[in-house]
Amino acid sequence: MLSHTLILEIGIAVGLVAIVGLIANKLKFSVIPFFIIIGMVLGQHAPQIGVVDLTFTESKPFIDFMGRLGVLFLLFYLGLEFSVNRLIKSGKAIVTGGTIYVLLNFTSGLLIGWLMDMPFKEMMVLCGIMTSSSTAIVAKVLTDLKRTANPETEVIMGMIMFDDLFIAMHISFLSGLILTGSSSFWTVAGTSLLALGFILAFLVLGRKLVPAIDRLLKDKTSELFILVIFALLFIVAGFSETIHVAEAIGALMAGLVLADSQYIKKIEAMVLPYKDFFGAMFFFSFGLSIDMMSLGGAVLWASIAAVVTVMGNLASGYFAAKFSGMKPKTSFDIGFTLSARGEFSIIMANIGKAGALLPVIQSFVVVYVLILSIVSPLLTKESRNLWKVLFGSDANTAKPLKKLSDLENKSGG
């Protein structure tokens, strides 16, 4: 039987998320760590005030479900903004830089997992956690710092797109490895290939259906328009889950297909508020599931991993800047910006939780995401100053002063 305080609890939860969001906005920080922290603080050790239980015991299943919807909307919206054609046209620099970025971060995950003596499944989840940059934080930082028109921003977003494409493949692999519950190599390989086949088939066949979908959406009221879009989203995500492909991948595929719709701007405008609301509840619900008392053992390793991630991303930023023909100082802009971790790292950890992997994965990702979601925007903001402190101004920016004798010699010659 549902509690008579259920709606009140959910209202308080949403209100608290809104308050910390306002605080984060005032401080000009990313909202993601604030949403996670308020969830942890009010989670398993919060008091009960009158009829209100701040552990949200009664409402937690509903909050968790809202968080699950948050994953779908985050990935769906990413798919709407993702352009395979744009990635192809972005050039060799982005593909090369993105490949180096993925290799360095994935190798870092292998290193940290080996040092922590993790089993293979946990190590693969850790590699995904350390490879997946936060698109939400990166986009917000670039907007807040007014760098969206900078030349390096195109490289950054291209590398993000490349990384997202890799993460989609990795989630498919993890689905076969972890969610099937099988230890057989052939079963895992078969499920992974099925996931890959589903993605490729959906991209090919789904795009052929776009004209039919556009005809269905033509001249529809906003009510029917959003119902059709949501029906497509939930059916595709739900179907993907039935074949052991993570529902998040189904949501991403649905977004990728609809990205070619002539109504893309209207779809994005309608979905954005749902993405923002349920996305916030996703981070809050994740925080609720974490016992702060269990984080101690993960602090050291997560801190080391955060440092390794920043250093690895600076290296990938250096190569990306070099291949793009940009000044060396832009490597700091690229590397620090890409160091942010958030939604996708948590999605990876949740796959591990669903597969009953070691709890240390959850503790690790909390500390790791909190560190990088706070530190990365700060480093990005100060990237130019840090470059000047370490290397000084670019030599080619300071033009030598012309003397009067030089001008006279030139005119005389």
Side-chain angles (χ1 to χ4, degrees), residues 126-346:
L126 187 68
C127 287
I129 289 170
M130 293 185 64
T131 305
S132 51
S133 186
S134 171
T135 306
I137 295 178
V138 169
K140 180 172 175 53
V141 168
L142 291 173
T143 302
D144 290 347
L145 296 179
K146 296 180 174 59
R147 295 186 183 179
T148 53
N150 289 8
E152 71 272 8
T153 297
E154 183 178 348
V155 176
I156 291 170
M157 295 313 296
M159 291 173 69
I160 283 278
M161 289 165 61
F162 189 93
D163 179 49
D164 290 340
L165 187 62
F166 170 79
I167 291 302
M169 299 297 104
H170 191 62
I171 289 177
S172 301
F173 168 71
L174 291 179
S175 298
L177 180 66
I178 297 171
L179 299 183
T180 60
S182 174
S183 57
S184 167
F185 169 79
W186 294 111
T187 302
V188 172
T191 305
S192 299
L193 288 174
L194 176 64
L196 181 59
F198 168 74
I199 291 172
L200 295 176
F202 201 86
L203 284 176
V204 174
L205 299 177
R207 292 190 175 197
K208 294 183 181 298
L209 296 176
V210 171
I213 296 173
D214 283 346
R215 286 195 295 272
L216 189 63
L217 295 174
K218 185 178 180 181
D219 300 326
K220 294 296 185 291
T221 64
S222 59
E223 179 184 35
L224 292 175
F225 191 96
I226 201 71
L227 283 172
V228 171
I229 297 301
F230 281 15
L232 290 170
L233 167 60
F234 294 132
I235 289 172
V236 173
F239 174 75
S240 67
E241 190 180 26
T242 63
I243 59 173
H244 300 293
V245 178
E247 59 187 22
I249 293 299
L252 178 65
M253 292 301 103
L256 281 170
V257 168
L258 289 174
D260 288 335
S261 170
Q262 62 178 306
Y263 299 106
I264 178 63
K265 294 299 181 184
K266 186 175 181 180
I267 295 172
E268 285 183 339
M270 281 192 162
V271 170
L272 183 60
Y274 295 93
K275 188 262 298 185
D276 289 341
F277 174 75
F278 289 108
M281 299 310 294
F282 162 62
F283 295 112
F284 177 70
S285 66
F286 177 73
L288 283 179
S289 68
I290 302 299
D291 183 354
M292 285 195 302
M293 304 303 175
S294 68
L295 299 181
V299 171
L300 176 61
W301 284 114
S303 301
I304 293 173
V307 173
V308 170
T309 296
V310 173
M311 299 305 294
N313 286 356
L314 284 177
S316 63
Y318 166 78
F319 286 110
K322 183 177 181 180
F323 291 133
S324 301
M326 295 183 178
K327 295 178 181 179
K329 67 179 182 181
T330 58
S331 62
F332 271 34
D333 296 333
I334 296 170
F336 287 143
T337 305
L338 290 172
S339 296
R341 296 294 183 266
E343 62 274 18
F344 296 112
S345 296
I346 295 173

Side-chain angles (χ1 to χ4, degrees), residues 346-358:
I346 295 173
I347 290 170
M348 297 282 182
N350 284 345
I351 291 176
K353 183 179 180 181
L357 299 189
L358 295 176

